[in-house]
Amino acid sequence: MNRCIFCDIINRESPAEIIYEDEFSIAFMDINPVTPGHLLIVPKKHFRVFTDMDEVSAGELFSAALKVSRAVRRSELKPEGLNLFLAEESAGMQEIFHCHLHIIPRYSGDGFGLKIKYSDETKNQLKINAEKIRKIL
Ligand SMILES: [Zn+2]
């Protein structure tokens, strides 16, 4: 496996502004913040993508995300809101292939956004697409 920057941070082989850590997860400031307080929650075990995670690790990751999100909301940064963003694979905008969850504090007019193109064709396929997912669960 190639060297992983997030594993290096977990192992203290690369510097990071760590703000929280428990047995399963670590949280540190994003080195390229889109808004003040932008941080990442990362499982300590290396999972390439979210859907590779086991349920315990995923639950612990979101539990840590809740704890850290509350701290961000109550902090002097005083965000007006938050976005949680998880990218999977290049098509989903994942750039570092060690699963991670972004916590992005939001402020009116901060300029962060997603480009959304609604599709009538996709809307017309709701039942068909729901069944494609339902039959796997
Ligand atoms: Zn890693």
Side-chain angles (χ1 to χ4, degrees), residues 64-103:
L66 177 59
K67 183 179 287 189
V68 173
S69 293
R70 285 181 172 146
V72 171
R73 288 298 312 265
R74 293 171 185 163
S75 74
E76 291 175 31
L77 291 167
K78 297 191 186 319
E80 297 162 52
L82 294 174
N83 280 129
L84 270 60
F85 184 75
L86 199 156
E88 174 141 328
E89 301 290 2
S90 298
M93 299 168 56
Q94 186 174 7
E95 293 177 341
I96 305 290
F97 288 89
H98 178 140
C99 175
H100 55 285
L101 176 65
H102 293 259
I103 295 178

Side-chain angles (χ1 to χ4, degrees), residues 4 6-7 46 98:
C4 169
F6 290 170
C7 284
H46 182 96
H98 178 140

Side-chain angles (χ1 to χ4, degrees), residues 49-64:
V49 293
F50 176 62
T51 52
D52 284 347
M53 291 185 80
D54 62 82
E55 291 183 9
V56 170
S57 297
E60 293 290 342
L61 184 77
F62 277 86
S63 186

